[in-house]
Amino acid sequence: MKVGVPKERREGESRVAVSPATIKKLIELGFDVTVETGAGEDASFSDDVFSGAGATIADSAAAAVGDADLVLKVRAPMSAANGADEISQINPKAMVVAHMSALSEPGAIETMAAAGLTGFAMDLMPRITRAQSMDVLSSQSNLAGYKSVLDAAGELGRAFPMMMTAAGTIAPAKVFIMGVGVAGLQAIATAKRLGAVVTATDVRPATKEQVESLGGKFLEVDAEMEKDAQTKGGYAKEMPPEYFEKQKQVVAEHIKKQDVVITTALIPGRPAPVLINDDMVASMPDGAVIVDLATEAGGNCTLSEPGKVVKKSGVTIIGHANMPGRLAEDASSLYAKNLINFLTPLVDAETKQMTIDWEDEIIQGTLVCKDGSVVHPALSKGD
């Protein structure tokens, strides 16, 4: 069995789908691994490091994936309409495993299906106990939350911790986290480690205990409406307009006193909810910083710009795209490990062949296209 790993070609994508450690694991599973030259360069993995782990280095993407049985990618393969026709280079009988952004970019899945590829979307991984080690959303969000605090600290013109000096005392920075998923929790923990006073809010009341366990203070909006704010899979539900109106009022008062605000609110397959409007930005202290982790889905702040750092009303607004990619080495290593944890149960230890149970909950949850058709229920026509 052959595994092909091409270089990621989407703009701003610095990660790679394998690491030296997972290449060795793939070889132990019985795979021959071929990696396109330069695939790991932006993640600090040289061709020599990959070849030293046992991979063959190919001089082009076509050479890496043209005869592969399995293609591992960070992002979904592009079609000619995206500017680079990656799909046509892949062996039409191959299985492709990647973060597909399936709910927000269903057209890419349809193109893959038309090409005859079998696709697994890691971003649709079921939130069940045995799939936790395969959860790419969590592994990447963890790093995004951490990096968001460091980026904010780099832009803020003051220190995070309280400092008592002979010249006087510096008060600690006030950091407000909006959205307490994996990224938000890591942001809380990181900001606390740096010495900030941290508050946080989320539509899911269950997060209050998590916030407080990390030393933060929970800002409640409406306890009654928040009772039914979480899906069975653990994601936040889309809330009614009246909730967001009340949230705006509560947040508007709180945000006036904050030095840093980090927004992490995302709903899979939907535009990011607006949490901070123009007036709220204008009310913040001069020199304050906003980090919007949802810019690729439209943004939680009305003034954030995808991929840019801008200054509005004296407030610096950070809108970096692909925040995990700003820590490309660790992000790649964690993502690659997620893939290995997904693939290992699919390989027979004795025959070294893939034996997929198509009825398995994890397979059904991630399988998006097979035998020329889009098969995931969330992506089917009329859903």
Side-chain angles (χ1 to χ4, degrees):
M1 297 185 293
K2 296 182 179 180
V3 172
V5 182
K7 181 179 175 67
E8 298 294 321
R9 284 174 165 76
R10 291 180 186 266
E11 185 178 356
E13 187 51 76
S14 54
R15 295 169 292 177
V16 63
V18 289
S19 67
T22 62
I23 287 173
K24 293 176 182 178
K25 289 285 188 182
L26 287 166
I27 293 171
E28 289 175 9
L29 289 174
F31 290 105
D32 293 324
V33 182
T34 300
V35 181
E36 181 186 359
T37 183
E41 184 176 343
D42 291 338
S44 304
F45 296 132
S46 67
D47 288 351
D48 287 344
V49 168
F50 280 156
S51 63
T56 299
I57 306 301
D59 59 8
S60 67
V65 302
D67 62 349
D69 302 297
L70 176 65
V71 175
L72 303 181
K73 290 189 89 282
V74 175
R75 305 282 295 276
M78 293 189 291
S79 64
N82 303 129
D85 191 359
E86 296 178 290
I87 290 177
S88 66
Q89 297 176 328
I90 299 174
N91 173 11
K93 296 180 180 179
M95 291 188 295
V96 181
V97 182
H99 183 303
M100 302 284 188
S101 300
L103 296 177
S104 57
E105 299 178 22
I109 308 301
E110 293 171 6
T111 305
M112 287 178 57
L117 299 173
T118 298
F120 292 94
M122 295 297 288
D123 42 305
L124 297 181
M125 185 65 64
R127 285 204 156 180
I128 58 177
T129 301
R130 65 188 175 93
Q132 286 181 348
S133 65
M134 312 171 194
D135 188 350
V136 300
L137 297 181
S138 291
S139 72
Q140 302 303 292
S141 294
N142 217 322
L143 291 171
Y146 165 78
K147 184 60 173 171
S148 69
V149 176
L150 298 190
D151 283 350
E155 292 289 344
L156 188 66
R158 54 177 302 186
F160 265 45
M162 174 185 285
M163 292 186 181
M164 301 181 71
T165 75
T169 300
I170 297 173
K174 296 176 182 177
V175 177
F176 181 38
I177 313 297
M178 302 185 72
V180 190
V182 174
L185 289 170
Q186 184 58 249
I188 292 168
T190 303
K192 285 297 294 183
R193 284 196 292 267
L194 289 177
V197 173
V198 182
T199 54
T201 189
D202 194 285
V203 300
R204 298 163 296 174
T207 60
K208 179 179 180 180
E209 186 177 335
Q210 295 172 317
V211 170
E212 293 174 347
S213 72
L214 292 171
K217 183 178 179 181
F218 190 78
L219 182 69
E220 198 169 64
V221 175
D222 188 310
E224 191 61 34
M225 278 194 277
E226 289 168 352
K227 284 181 180 178
D228 189 36
Q230 183 169 307
T231 67
K232 291 181 180 179
Y235 295 102
K237 285 185 179 178
E238 189 168 21
M239 300 296 282
E242 56 266 30
Y243 177 85
F244 287 112
E245 283 305 313
K246 187 163 186 178
Q247 183 186 53
K248 284 177 186 176
Q249 295 171 17
V250 173
V251 169
E253 284 305 309
H254 188 65
I255 211 170
K256 293 176 183 177
K257 307 168 187 175
Q258 303 305 303
D259 300 301
V260 173
V261 180
I262 297 172
T263 67
T264 73
L266 281 169
I267 300 166
R270 295 182 181 272
V274 174
L275 304 180
I276 303 176
N277 60 29
D278 296 23
D279 291 339
M280 292 179 189
V281 174
S283 75
M284 294 182 70
D286 284 346
V289 177
I290 295 171
V291 184
D292 189 342
L293 290 181
T295 55
E296 291 174 277
N300 295 142
C301 176
T302 52
L303 294 176
S304 62
E305 297 181 27
K308 295 182 179 180
V309 177
V310 297
K311 198 158 190 173
K312 306 283 185 180
S313 302
V315 177
T316 299
I317 305 172
I318 300 172
H320 292 310
N322 187 17
M323 189 67 84
R326 291 170 58 74
L327 296 167
E329 184 175 347
D330 282 339
S332 297
S333 294
L334 291 178
Y335 179 82
K337 189 63 184 296
N338 290 143
L339 296 189
I340 278 291
N341 292 335
F342 172 69
L343 293 171
T344 298
L346 309 183
V347 180
D348 186 281
E350 293 183 4
T351 65
K352 303 294 185 182
Q353 296 297 311
M354 296 192 76
T355 54
I356 300 175
D357 177 4
W358 298 101
E359 300 301 316
D360 182 84
E361 184 177 2
I362 290 174
I363 296 299
Q364 290 192 338
T366 55
L367 182 66
V368 288
C369 57
K370 184 175 183 284
D371 299 330
S373 300
V374 175
V375 297
H376 197 285
L379 304 175
S380 59
K381 300 292 185 181
D383 183 67

